[in-house]
Amino acid sequence: MKTAKDLMTCNPYIVQSSSEINDELKHFLELEITSAPVESSLGEPLGVLTEIALIQIYLKTHMTEEHTGSKVVHHKETLEKACFVLESTPINEVIKKMLQAPTHRVIVTTKMNKITGIICPKDVLRFLGGENTKHLSLRDELE
């Protein structure tokens, strides 16, 4: 049976909660990503930082009188709730969870809660489209 590990993008970019918002804005543009998991200094997953959250934070900190802080940790309320699955989760369960997740992304972790990958709609499209032979057998499992 194929699992999340077979479908995930390995080693995703992870936002550290202590990083500066302006730095993350630059990283999102340079890496051409739309969201990224956020983890604390202890390595605990906190949520997902999205492009919309970055815009909200930027406007809040640069266009109002409100001084809320320049680090991601100061804006935890803007993070989206993350949807997590284990590397061993069957692919059909992963896709169901992804469709229900607020960000339509699934963060893949080990049993020790370490982030090892991410699955986004593009990964599923590659799988459904049979972009490579590895995914052809996965498609057969879903049918």
Side-chain angles (χ1 to χ4, degrees):
M1 176 184 300
K2 301 296 181 182
T3 63
K5 190 171 184 176
D6 297 311
L7 188 60
M8 72 182 188
T9 297
C10 297
N11 304 315
Y13 176 72
I14 299 173
V15 174
Q16 298 303 311
S17 62
S18 60
S19 49
E20 296 285 330
I21 292 298
N22 287 341
D23 292 340
E24 292 310 327
L25 193 147
K26 291 173 189 169
H27 287 132
F28 270 52
L29 292 171
E30 289 168 5
L31 298 172
E32 297 182 354
I33 58 175
T34 58
S35 64
V38 178
E39 65 181 20
S40 73
S41 56
L42 299 175
E44 300 165 323
L46 299 177
V48 177
L49 182 64
T50 65
E51 291 172 311
I52 296 300
L54 280 172
I55 293 167
Q56 291 171 332
I57 294 166
Y58 186 89
L59 293 175
K60 188 176 181 181
T61 58
H62 290 84
M63 303 191 133
T64 67
E65 298 294 319
E66 202 172 326
H67 300 288
T68 55
S70 62
K71 296 189 184 293
V72 173
V73 72
H74 299 134
H75 303 278
K76 287 195 301 191
E77 76 283 355
T78 62
L79 299 179
E80 290 285 345
K81 184 178 178 189
C83 178
F84 298 98
V85 296
L86 293 173
E87 292 175 326
S88 59
T89 304
I91 203 71
N92 58 338
E93 288 181 39
V94 171
I95 293 173
K96 286 177 189 173
K97 285 188 176 217
M98 186 194 76
L99 292 172
Q100 296 171 349
T103 61
H104 300 295
R105 274 124 182 93
V106 178
I107 310 301
V108 183
T109 65
T110 63
K111 290 180 181 175
M112 300 299 290
N113 216 20
K114 181 184 178 338
I115 296 172
T116 57
I118 189 166
I119 299 172
C120 69
K122 187 76 73 191
D123 297 313
V124 175
L125 288 174
R126 283 188 194 104
F127 153 66
L128 294 174
E131 190 172 283
N132 63 40
T133 54
K134 175 178 146 186
H135 290 139
L136 287 176
S137 61
L138 289 174
R139 187 173 57 205
D140 292 340
E141 273 192 43
L142 279 179
E143 292 176 349

Short mmCIF file of all heavy atoms in Angstrom, two decimals, residues 49-78:
data_model
loop_
_atom_site.label_atom_id
_atom_site.label_comp_id
_atom_site.label_asym_id
_atom_site.label_seq_id
_atom_site.Cartn_x
_atom_site.Cartn_y
_atom_site.Cartn_z
N LEU A 49 1.97 29.25 7.83
CA LEU A 49 2.02 30.64 7.40
C LEU A 49 1.67 30.67 5.92
O LEU A 49 2.24 29.93 5.13
CB LEU A 49 3.42 31.22 7.62
CG LEU A 49 3.62 32.69 7.26
CD1 LEU A 49 2.75 33.58 8.16
CD2 LEU A 49 5.09 33.08 7.38
N THR A 50 0.69 31.50 5.56
CA THR A 50 0.24 31.59 4.17
C THR A 50 0.55 32.97 3.60
O THR A 50 0.88 33.89 4.34
CB THR A 50 -1.28 31.36 4.06
OG1 THR A 50 -1.95 32.44 4.75
CG2 THR A 50 -1.70 30.02 4.66
N GLU A 51 0.41 33.10 2.28
CA GLU A 51 0.60 34.40 1.64
C GLU A 51 -0.39 35.42 2.20
O GLU A 51 -0.02 36.56 2.45
CB GLU A 51 0.36 34.28 0.13
CG GLU A 51 1.39 33.50 -0.61
CD GLU A 51 0.99 33.26 -2.06
OE1 GLU A 51 -0.15 32.82 -2.30
OE2 GLU A 51 1.83 33.52 -2.92
N ILE A 52 -1.62 35.01 2.40
CA ILE A 52 -2.65 35.92 2.93
C ILE A 52 -2.26 36.39 4.33
O ILE A 52 -2.39 37.58 4.65
CB ILE A 52 -4.04 35.24 2.93
CG1 ILE A 52 -4.50 34.93 1.51
CG2 ILE A 52 -5.07 36.09 3.68
CD1 ILE A 52 -4.63 36.15 0.60
N ALA A 53 -1.77 35.49 5.15
CA ALA A 53 -1.33 35.88 6.50
C ALA A 53 -0.18 36.88 6.42
O ALA A 53 -0.15 37.85 7.18
CB ALA A 53 -0.91 34.66 7.30
N LEU A 54 0.76 36.66 5.51
CA LEU A 54 1.87 37.62 5.34
C LEU A 54 1.36 39.00 4.96
O LEU A 54 1.83 40.01 5.47
CB LEU A 54 2.86 37.12 4.29
CG LEU A 54 3.85 36.06 4.75
CD1 LEU A 54 4.65 35.52 3.56
CD2 LEU A 54 4.80 36.61 5.81
N ILE A 55 0.38 39.04 4.07
CA ILE A 55 -0.20 40.33 3.67
C ILE A 55 -0.88 40.99 4.87
O ILE A 55 -0.68 42.18 5.14
CB ILE A 55 -1.21 40.14 2.51
CG1 ILE A 55 -0.47 39.70 1.25
CG2 ILE A 55 -2.00 41.42 2.26
CD1 ILE A 55 -1.38 39.19 0.13
N GLN A 56 -1.67 40.22 5.61
CA GLN A 56 -2.36 40.76 6.79
C GLN A 56 -1.37 41.30 7.81
O GLN A 56 -1.56 42.39 8.36
CB GLN A 56 -3.23 39.68 7.43
CG GLN A 56 -4.42 39.28 6.61
CD GLN A 56 -5.15 38.08 7.17
OE1 GLN A 56 -4.55 37.23 7.84
NE2 GLN A 56 -6.44 37.98 6.89
N ILE A 57 -0.33 40.54 8.07
CA ILE A 57 0.68 40.96 9.06
C ILE A 57 1.39 42.22 8.57
O ILE A 57 1.59 43.17 9.34
CB ILE A 57 1.70 39.83 9.32
CG1 ILE A 57 1.00 38.65 10.00
CG2 ILE A 57 2.86 40.34 10.17
CD1 ILE A 57 1.82 37.37 10.01
N TYR A 58 1.78 42.24 7.32
CA TYR A 58 2.49 43.40 6.76
C TYR A 58 1.62 44.65 6.90
O TYR A 58 2.09 45.70 7.37
CB TYR A 58 2.87 43.16 5.30
CG TYR A 58 3.71 44.29 4.76
CD1 TYR A 58 5.10 44.25 4.89
CD2 TYR A 58 3.13 45.40 4.16
CE1 TYR A 58 5.88 45.29 4.43
CE2 TYR A 58 3.90 46.44 3.69
CZ TYR A 58 5.28 46.38 3.82
OH TYR A 58 6.05 47.42 3.37
N LEU A 59 0.37 44.57 6.50
CA LEU A 59 -0.54 45.72 6.59
C LEU A 59 -0.72 46.16 8.04
O LEU A 59 -0.72 47.35 8.34
CB LEU A 59 -1.89 45.39 5.95
CG LEU A 59 -1.87 45.18 4.44
CD1 LEU A 59 -3.24 44.74 3.95
CD2 LEU A 59 -1.42 46.44 3.71
N LYS A 60 -0.87 45.19 8.91
CA LYS A 60 -1.08 45.47 10.34
C LYS A 60 0.14 46.18 10.94
O LYS A 60 0.00 47.11 11.73
CB LYS A 60 -1.35 44.16 11.08
CG LYS A 60 -1.76 44.31 12.51
CD LYS A 60 -2.08 42.92 13.06
CE LYS A 60 -2.52 42.96 14.48
NZ LYS A 60 -2.81 41.62 14.99
N THR A 61 1.34 45.75 10.56
CA THR A 61 2.55 46.31 11.18
C THR A 61 3.07 47.55 10.48
O THR A 61 3.79 48.34 11.09
CB THR A 61 3.68 45.26 11.23
OG1 THR A 61 3.96 44.81 9.91
CG2 THR A 61 3.31 44.10 12.11
N HIS A 62 2.72 47.75 9.21
CA HIS A 62 3.28 48.89 8.47
C HIS A 62 2.28 49.98 8.14
O HIS A 62 2.67 51.09 7.80
CB HIS A 62 3.91 48.41 7.16
CG HIS A 62 5.17 47.63 7.37
ND1 HIS A 62 5.16 46.28 7.66
CD2 HIS A 62 6.46 48.01 7.34
CE1 HIS A 62 6.41 45.86 7.80
NE2 HIS A 62 7.22 46.89 7.62
N MET A 63 1.00 49.70 8.24
CA MET A 63 0.02 50.69 7.81
C MET A 63 -0.96 51.07 8.92
O MET A 63 -1.96 51.70 8.66
CB MET A 63 -0.73 50.19 6.59
CG MET A 63 0.21 49.85 5.46
SD MET A 63 -0.65 49.57 3.95
CE MET A 63 0.33 50.57 2.84
N THR A 64 -0.68 50.67 10.14
CA THR A 64 -1.51 51.07 11.27
C THR A 64 -0.58 51.55 12.39
O THR A 64 0.63 51.41 12.31
CB THR A 64 -2.36 49.90 11.81
OG1 THR A 64 -1.48 48.92 12.39
CG2 THR A 64 -3.20 49.27 10.72
N GLU A 65 -1.20 52.08 13.40
CA GLU A 65 -0.44 52.55 14.56
C GLU A 65 -0.09 51.40 15.51
O GLU A 65 0.64 51.58 16.47
CB GLU A 65 -1.26 53.61 15.32
CG GLU A 65 -1.56 54.85 14.51
CD GLU A 65 -0.30 55.64 14.19
OE1 GLU A 65 0.57 55.77 15.06
OE2 GLU A 65 -0.19 56.11 13.03
N GLU A 66 -0.65 50.24 15.23
CA GLU A 66 -0.46 49.08 16.10
C GLU A 66 0.97 48.56 15.99
O GLU A 66 1.46 48.30 14.90
CB GLU A 66 -1.45 47.99 15.69
CG GLU A 66 -1.73 47.00 16.76
CD GLU A 66 -2.87 46.07 16.35
OE1 GLU A 66 -3.80 46.51 15.67
OE2 GLU A 66 -2.79 44.90 16.75
N HIS A 67 1.62 48.40 17.12
CA HIS A 67 2.98 47.86 17.15
C HIS A 67 2.92 46.45 17.72
O HIS A 67 2.91 46.26 18.92
CB HIS A 67 3.90 48.76 17.99
CG HIS A 67 3.98 50.15 17.46
ND1 HIS A 67 4.65 50.46 16.30
CD2 HIS A 67 3.44 51.30 17.90
CE1 HIS A 67 4.55 51.75 16.05
NE2 HIS A 67 3.80 52.29 17.02
N THR A 68 2.87 45.49 16.82
CA THR A 68 2.63 44.11 17.24
C THR A 68 3.87 43.23 17.23
O THR A 68 3.81 42.10 17.65
CB THR A 68 1.56 43.47 16.34
OG1 THR A 68 2.00 43.59 14.99
CG2 THR A 68 0.22 44.13 16.52
N GLY A 69 4.97 43.71 16.73
CA GLY A 69 6.18 42.90 16.67
C GLY A 69 6.48 42.47 15.25
O GLY A 69 5.59 42.35 14.42
N SER A 70 7.75 42.22 14.99
CA SER A 70 8.17 41.93 13.63
C SER A 70 8.49 40.45 13.39
O SER A 70 8.90 40.08 12.31
CB SER A 70 9.40 42.78 13.30
OG SER A 70 10.46 42.44 14.18
N LYS A 71 8.32 39.62 14.40
CA LYS A 71 8.63 38.20 14.25
C LYS A 71 7.36 37.38 14.06
O LYS A 71 6.27 37.78 14.50
CB LYS A 71 9.40 37.71 15.48
CG LYS A 71 10.76 38.38 15.63
CD LYS A 71 11.57 37.71 16.70
CE LYS A 71 12.88 38.42 16.93
NZ LYS A 71 13.80 38.33 15.81
N VAL A 72 7.51 36.25 13.43
CA VAL A 72 6.37 35.37 13.16
C VAL A 72 5.66 35.01 14.47
O VAL A 72 4.42 35.02 14.54
CB VAL A 72 6.82 34.09 12.42
CG1 VAL A 72 5.68 33.10 12.28
CG2 VAL A 72 7.40 34.44 11.05
N VAL A 73 6.40 34.74 15.52
CA VAL A 73 5.83 34.34 16.81
C VAL A 73 4.87 35.40 17.37
O VAL A 73 3.93 35.06 18.10
CB VAL A 73 6.94 34.00 17.83
CG1 VAL A 73 7.67 35.23 18.30
CG2 VAL A 73 6.38 33.20 18.99
N HIS A 74 5.05 36.65 17.01
CA HIS A 74 4.17 37.72 17.48
C HIS A 74 2.81 37.70 16.78
O HIS A 74 1.91 38.46 17.14
CB HIS A 74 4.81 39.09 17.27
CG HIS A 74 6.09 39.26 18.02
ND1 HIS A 74 7.22 39.79 17.45
CD2 HIS A 74 6.44 38.94 19.28
CE1 HIS A 74 8.20 39.80 18.32
NE2 HIS A 74 7.75 39.29 19.45
N HIS A 75 2.66 36.85 15.78
CA HIS A 75 1.43 36.83 14.97
C HIS A 75 0.86 35.42 14.85
O HIS A 75 0.31 35.05 13.81
CB HIS A 75 1.73 37.41 13.59
CG HIS A 75 2.27 38.79 13.65
ND1 HIS A 75 1.48 39.90 13.79
CD2 HIS A 75 3.57 39.24 13.66
CE1 HIS A 75 2.24 40.98 13.86
NE2 HIS A 75 3.51 40.60 13.79
N LYS A 76 0.96 34.66 15.92
CA LYS A 76 0.48 33.26 15.90
C LYS A 76 -1.00 33.17 15.54
O LYS A 76 -1.43 32.19 14.95
CB LYS A 76 0.75 32.57 17.24
CG LYS A 76 2.20 32.24 17.45
CD LYS A 76 2.44 31.26 18.58
CE LYS A 76 1.93 31.74 19.89
NZ LYS A 76 2.38 30.92 21.03
N GLU A 77 -1.76 34.20 15.87
CA GLU A 77 -3.20 34.16 15.59
C GLU A 77 -3.51 34.17 14.09
O GLU A 77 -4.60 33.81 13.69
CB GLU A 77 -3.92 35.32 16.30
CG GLU A 77 -3.74 36.68 15.64
CD GLU A 77 -2.39 37.36 15.90
OE1 GLU A 77 -1.59 36.84 16.69
OE2 GLU A 77 -2.15 38.42 15.31
N THR A 78 -2.55 34.58 13.27
CA THR A 78 -2.79 34.61 11.82
C THR A 78 -2.40 33.30 11.14
O THR A 78 -2.69 33.11 9.95
CB THR A 78 -2.02 35.76 11.14
OG1 THR A 78 -0.63 35.55 11.33
CG2 THR A 78 -2.44 37.10 11.68
#
